[in-house]
């Protein structure tokens, strides 16, 4: 294809307003343009890459029996409310049509597709069945950032498997893991799988696929000595009880002249943070609860929600503190609390003796507090957020925390939706059984951005062979040189006959400009038709290794065939 | 592919709420499901057809140098207002993001893409350039109807060509006509091209592609003796002046006791409609104008707009009638009108003598009115809507009016957007010249529906070979017959090796159910593995011709190869 017929608006300088590396590279190399914050147009080169990516996903998904569908974008609000909009976290774009009917722009389809299956499938004989779609989804984020990692419009492949038995679901879940791994390999992107967090009760085996990146908005926890890897919210650490043997002292009140945090109070009193108890006051559903961790730790609210089996956990406000404790939020303590308010504590709290904690009065703390003696604990559990250096839960190594971007996810959704929507099939005994479901998603535009970030250097992108916009980039250095023009045309034809996808820079530009653009665009191989055109000699440059050689025209096909297979 | 792994929910009966034929067929054959009024989910079979259709369009568009892009769906309102939202006729879906920023769901992209080109292309050397996208678009119609012919979400291929010269635009416009014709042929759909109407001044050569259909919402006018074909709004008819030779009589007033229409008044007075003058009172921009046609004709408002070169032409209301004529709207007449209100008349009016028209007073008409004598005519022009039986404008035959569905359109947009957006390129002399633009669109989901309506019979769809969801449908009549199962598997493998796309009905159903479903789904060839499986004999049935033969397994490939090429 002639470059003059494509729209590839390269830029010499980094655009001012592009902070994310993927955005800088894709803008500079002329693959995309921003239409509005977080909303992008995919130009011809990006389209070629996206189509190759979608094709790979289609091939790998179809290999394991999935079939493609396309659900609409305009989702009627009542239908969503019936299924799963409340998992949606306020990130929906809402709109009304001219008749006042309410819609949401498509983003989650589990409920709708579950309902479709429930309507159309009535017998276990029609299961398993796996559907997928690769479509644009919408997220009404407060602020778009990180380029294609977190855009308002994004391309997602989402697959849904339906089963009569847990065994069948388990098999498909494993098949999808293999399919994901093949896809990542073909895309040329290094991805880690982590234990993920599930916001929905009853869903199990959440697996998150994360690519490490300094600009990431997710945190993964990795053992430095084992395979343990988990999302920060899902991560646990090994806990070995080391109960304090200090004799319990008499609890006493400390009143400060001014407002102090627990950490400040501990410092003033020369008490280590490891001997303090931090209080978090939540409304779980409609119940008030106190959650206690050491002040050097943080509460993992997801763990609290799971322990309490509630969908909603809200940090209480000053009004509620006043109502339940007659105290400012900062000074709430666990001693003397009404029985209506249950107290839950992290396992570490059980080991403490003579600790410092809030006193339920303004500027007041309590010294020498002993859990169970001085206040009742409803339950001890692992409720803390893991920290860098914590012992891995398999007791092998310590946890390292690393930033990353989530590019995929799979979940055994189980019967969550079929119970909610009352969709069932008849089993071989004629009994109604709920349909089991699996969910598998891959962020296509995110993966595009990630491929770019992982495969680039200062001068531009280095596309992995299978998804490069073109295999070869032929650069004619002087458009006025007749020998070069003849040779360029011959080489283009030879290369196309040999089955390569070829981009020919036929623009009336200096060689230097063309080389710089070829570096930015990043096709795996550049063929230069330059000064030695009259001898029938062209230059080959491999983008990845920067290796260059010169070959005679007649040896070009065989040379490339050997070198490209050894390069990849 | 095994049918049990696909979701093909066929229905025996026509769904109650599906009035359109395409909807009935696509629902019954299990290709689509309705998610909400005018909003559909494409199930696996429809996806296969849609992907083949998109591929054909992609191939034909790329053949003439177009490259694919993908613009976003969330279009910022200010950007659209700058370019062309006002052509949008209130059919947009509007929404706001969580920051209150206003967006419109993508439907028209001429302005946005013009702006992109203006930003990125600065020299005539980069032109011509043609971009296209095949994406979902949105139309906020009051009411969806006609199935996929007029849905709220629809798939459209829209192409945009940019040129430095009119010659270059003309060449591309011709290339697109050929590409469209090749596409329609490959899709197996019979399409007529018509002179179209342009709502925008400066745009020329509007070509509409229409498929005749009794359920259509467009009207095409076709000469019965020539190639003349035009959209009703754009159509003209031959006019030969036959000036009346009646001596002009004295104008006189007729007052009725009650309100009468002009037609009623003419009947009472025994005056033929061909001797009456109907008045239409409009506000053109901000100017009042009267438009006169014979009462047996209708005003073509598009012709009026073009003559007056205004974007807006509104029918005046009673208040305005009172204000300008001191008369009810029904009784407005052309005599004695203030000079502020210009009078335009259709060519036929010029031939009249002693005509009947409105009297500018309640229940009053004027007899023996003579244009030019009794009131001034600013201009005579062709301002009437053509009618069935009118003489074709090429004077060959008469016009027939037929209903149809518009499936494509192309326009020489010219410099409309580049002048509006002030986008220009430098020509070879370093002078700024506005960019010329061409626009070409094909309604993919409409074409899908049209293919179905044109290629079907009572029992189901007959897919044209190139876009059939599968080439062959293998039906095993008895799943418990071991011979049949062995033969089915062998035949499937043979057929796939021979390059066919194969659907195998492996469901545990009776033969009759399977045959009925195969008829509904409509693959071009059905292969039946039935009673003669033990002899290695299968049945072949061609959907289109209903022809059936029996062949031995070993002759299947060669027989099909001969018969399928002769069938198509």
């Amino acid at each position: 294809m002639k470059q003059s017929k494509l729209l590839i608006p390269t830029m010499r300088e980094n655009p001012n307003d592009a902070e994310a590396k993927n955005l800088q590279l894709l803008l500079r190399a002329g693959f995309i343009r921003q239409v509005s914050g977080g909303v992008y147009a995919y130009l011809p080169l990006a389209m070629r890459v996206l189509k190759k990516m979608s094709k790979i996903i289609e091939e790998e998904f179809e290999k394991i029996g999935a079939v493609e569908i396309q659900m609409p974008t305009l989702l009627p609000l009542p239908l969503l409310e019936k299924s799963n909009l409340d998992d949606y976290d306020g990130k929906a774009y809402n709109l009304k049509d001219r008749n006042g009917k309410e819609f949401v722009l498509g983003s989650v389809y589990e409920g709708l597709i579950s309902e479709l299956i429930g309507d159309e499938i009535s017998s276990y004989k029609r299961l398993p069945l796996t559907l997928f779609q690769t479509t644009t989804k919408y997220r009404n984020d407060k602020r778009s950032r990180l380029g294609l990692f977190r855009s308002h419009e994004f391309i997602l492949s989402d697959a849904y498997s339906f089963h009569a038995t847990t065994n069948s679901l388990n098999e498909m879940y494993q098949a999808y893991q293999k399919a994901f791994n093949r896809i990542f390999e073909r895309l040329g992107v290094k991805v880690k799988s982590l234990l993920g967090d599930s916001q929905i009760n009853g869903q199990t085996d959440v697996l998150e696929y994360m690519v490490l990146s300094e600009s990431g908005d997710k945190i993964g926890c990795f053992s430095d000595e084992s395979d343990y890897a988990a999302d920060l919210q899902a991560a646990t650490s090994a806990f070995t009880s080391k109960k304090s043997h200090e004799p319990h002292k008499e609890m006493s009140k400390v009143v400060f002249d001014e407002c102090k945090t627990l950490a400040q109070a501990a410092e003033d009193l020369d008490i280590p943070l490891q001997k303090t108890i931090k209080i978090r006051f939540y409304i779980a559903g409609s119940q008030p609860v106190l959650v206690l961790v050491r002040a050097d730790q943080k509460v993992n609210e997801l763990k609290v929600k799971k322990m309490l089996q509630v969908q909603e956990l809200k940090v209480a406000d000053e009004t509620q503190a006043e109502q339940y404790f007659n105290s400012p939020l900062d000074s709430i303590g666990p001693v003397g609390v009404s029985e209506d308010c249950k107290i839950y504590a992290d396992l570490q709290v059980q080991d403490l003796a003579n600790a410092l904690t809030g006193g339920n009065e303004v500027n007041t703390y309590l010294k020498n507090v002993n859990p169970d003696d001085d206040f009742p604990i409803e339950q001890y559990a692992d409720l803390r957020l893991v920290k860098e250096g914590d012992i891995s839960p398999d007791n092998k190594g310590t946890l390292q925390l690393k930033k990353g971007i989530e590019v995929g996810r799979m979940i055994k959704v189980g019967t969550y939706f079929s119970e909610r929507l009352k969709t069932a099939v008849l089993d071989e005994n004629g009994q109604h059984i709920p349909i089991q479901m699996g969910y598998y998603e891959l962020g296509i535009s995110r993966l595009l951005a990630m491929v770019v970030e992982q495969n680039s250097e200062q001068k531009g992108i280095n596309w992995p062979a299978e998804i490069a916009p073109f295999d070869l980039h032929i650069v004619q250095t002087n458009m006025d040189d007749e020998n070069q023009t003849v040779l360029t045309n011959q080489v283009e034809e030879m290369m196309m006959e040999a089955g390569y996808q070829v981009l020919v820079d036929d623009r009336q530009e200096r060689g230097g400009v063309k080389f710089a653009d070829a570096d930015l665009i990043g096709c795996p191989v550049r063929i230069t038709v330059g000064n030695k055109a009259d001898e029938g000699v062209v230059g080959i440059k491999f983008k990845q290794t920067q290796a260059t050689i010169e070959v005679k025209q007649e040896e070009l096909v065989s040379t490339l065939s050997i070198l490209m297979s050894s390069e990849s």
Side-chain angles (χ1 to χ4, degrees), chain A residues 12 49 113 121 185 268 277 327 458-459 487 510 513:
Chain A
R12 286 289 157 269
V49 176
I113 292 183
I121 302 284
E185 201 182 313
D268 282 9
I277 302 172
S327 154
Q458 192 46 40
K459 286 183 174 174
L487 185 56
R510 287 181 301 108
V513 170

Side-chain angles (χ1 to χ4, degrees), chain A residues 127-129 161-174 436 440:
Chain A
L127 300 178
L129 181 69
S161 70
F162 299 91
H163 310 268
T165 66
T166 311
N167 268 352
S168 169
L169 170 58
N170 291 344
E171 276 170 28
M172 184 56 78
Y173 184 84
Q174 283 181 3
Q436 303 266 350
Y440 321 87

